[in-house]
Amino acid sequence: MQMNITEVVKEKYGQAALRVAAGQASSCCSATPAAGECCDPITSNLYDAVETGQLPEKAVLASLGCGNPTALAQLNAGDTVLDLGSGGGIDVLLSARRVGPTGKAYGLDMTDEMLALANANKAKAGADNVEFLKGQIEAIPLPDNSVDVIISNCVINLSANKDRVLAEAFRVLKPGGRLAVSDVMTRGEMLPEIRQSVLLWVGCVAGALEEDEYRSKLAAAGFDQIDVEPTRVYRVEDAREFLTGKGIDVDSIAPAVDGRFMSAFIRAVKPASARSARQSAIPNEKSTVA
């Protein structure tokens, strides 16, 4: 099951990168969206013009996220930052500017097409303090205690093994290091058939955790100071046209759906007292740079 999910995500994001390379925008959850199927309420207007004006156009076109973690994360000069699922590199390049020449910004992605696009964007931006790594977010190719801040933009929800992702994030963060990610989640329980109806529209919330479950997984990985800040709450009216076109009675599901899906900014901290040898439930495994 996990391999199937991984391959599906890899294929879709590879297609998105190829579209961007051909000069087509891909700021929708689907890599090849049909007319009227772009999930605008999630992916649109995440970055201001000042930010995007400083970046290569294709880094902006490749944005597939649900938030802007670089706008909300605390990034300091000299920090080492890691972006999980870095795609075309928009958040890595923005982070690199904020940490400055004494800092470092890593991007991690498993898709060859996205890595090629990201490295091209890095060259155009002249970002000497940026490095893109190939690998999966369930096995981060960096040493223990090597990163000050981990960011991510609507990627953790796509993993079939979120516990491992969070455990790996905990492992590579330095004691006192910060997790600051944008992700999608649900609020409260709902019937599976209702959830599936909405997922037809909001393709990039596939795998989204319920808010309390997300908090529990972060705590189980060892994080504390956990905070969830909703950034966009999706209304059923946003999806009316799409869902009606799929033959779904929107009014009948509205009470169970409206306001129950959201993008959020999630903060957490690795305790300063965390033992450096802790492997966060991944014993006897070491990651190396790919």
Side-chain angles (χ1 to χ4, degrees):
M1 180 69 170
Q2 181 175 353
M3 180 58 67
N4 290 339
I5 293 173
T6 299
E7 291 304 315
V8 167
V9 172
K10 190 173 183 179
E11 180 181 0
K12 289 184 70 172
Y13 280 77
Q15 291 174 3
L18 293 174
R19 283 169 54 82
V20 170
Q24 303 173 41
S26 283
S27 56
C28 296
C29 300
S30 170
T32 54
E37 294 192 5
C38 179
C39 46
D40 272 346
I42 294 180
T43 60
S44 62
N45 302 317
L46 299 176
Y47 302 89
D48 65 37
V50 174
E51 290 176 313
T52 57
Q54 300 172 342
L55 299 176
E57 180 184 11
K58 289 184 178 179
V60 180
L61 289 175
S63 174
L64 291 159
C66 61
N68 181 353
T70 61
L72 296 172
Q74 177 188 343
L75 299 178
N76 304 315
D79 276 348
T80 296
V81 183
L82 169 64
D83 181 15
L84 300 180
S86 48
I90 184 171
D91 293 318
V92 179
L93 295 174
L94 288 172
S95 297
R97 289 178 177 272
R98 291 181 59 188
V99 302
T102 61
K104 178 85 172 186
Y106 287 104
L108 175 64
D109 205 281
M110 66 178 176
T111 309
D112 289 332
E113 295 88 348
M114 277 297 185
L115 288 167
L117 181 63
N119 278 307
N121 289 329
K122 168 189 170 181
K124 289 178 183 177
D128 295 331
N129 61 339
V130 165
E131 183 176 351
F132 290 101
L133 307 173
K134 182 176 181 179
Q136 297 186 10
I137 61 176
E138 297 85 1
I140 299 172
L142 287 172
D144 298 0
N145 308 319
S146 59
V147 175
D148 294 293
V149 183
I150 287 178
I151 63 173
S152 186
N153 197 346
C154 202
V155 170
I156 294 175
N157 66 290
L158 297 174
S159 173
N161 193 339
K162 298 172 183 64
D163 292 317
R164 186 177 178 102
V165 174
L166 297 176
E168 276 285 84
F170 189 95
R171 178 184 67 79
V172 302
L173 279 171
K174 299 174 183 178
R178 308 177 299 282
L179 182 80
V181 304
S182 292
D183 213 346
V184 286
M185 60 178 62
T186 64
R187 178 167 280 173
E189 296 299 324
M190 64 187 71
L191 293 173
E193 57 268 29
I194 296 295
R195 182 184 178 94
Q196 184 57 38
S197 294
V198 178
L199 293 185
L200 287 171
W201 166 60
V202 193
C204 54
V205 304
L209 294 174
E210 200 278 329
E211 179 182 354
D212 290 340
E213 186 179 7
Y214 210 127
R215 291 176 180 272
S216 295
K217 287 182 180 295
L218 284 165
F223 288 99
D224 63 13
Q225 300 182 46
I226 297 164
D227 180 66
V228 175
E229 176 187 345
T231 52
R232 288 188 179 183
V233 177
Y234 309 125
R235 318 306 308 196
V236 73
E237 286 303 315
D238 296 327
R240 178 175 291 277
E241 182 179 355
F242 174 80
L243 294 175
T244 300
K246 294 292 184 180
I248 296 168
D249 185 347
V250 177
D251 292 323
S252 70
I253 70 169
V257 167
D258 197 45
R260 302 287 288 276
F261 289 83
M262 65 182 181
S263 296
F265 187 62
I266 299 106
R267 297 177 178 88
V269 175
K270 179 174 179 176
S273 60
R275 292 180 299 166
S276 61
R278 176 172 179 167
Q279 292 299 303
S280 262
I282 314 179
N284 302 319
E285 276 194 39
K286 293 186 180 293
S287 298
T288 57
V289 174

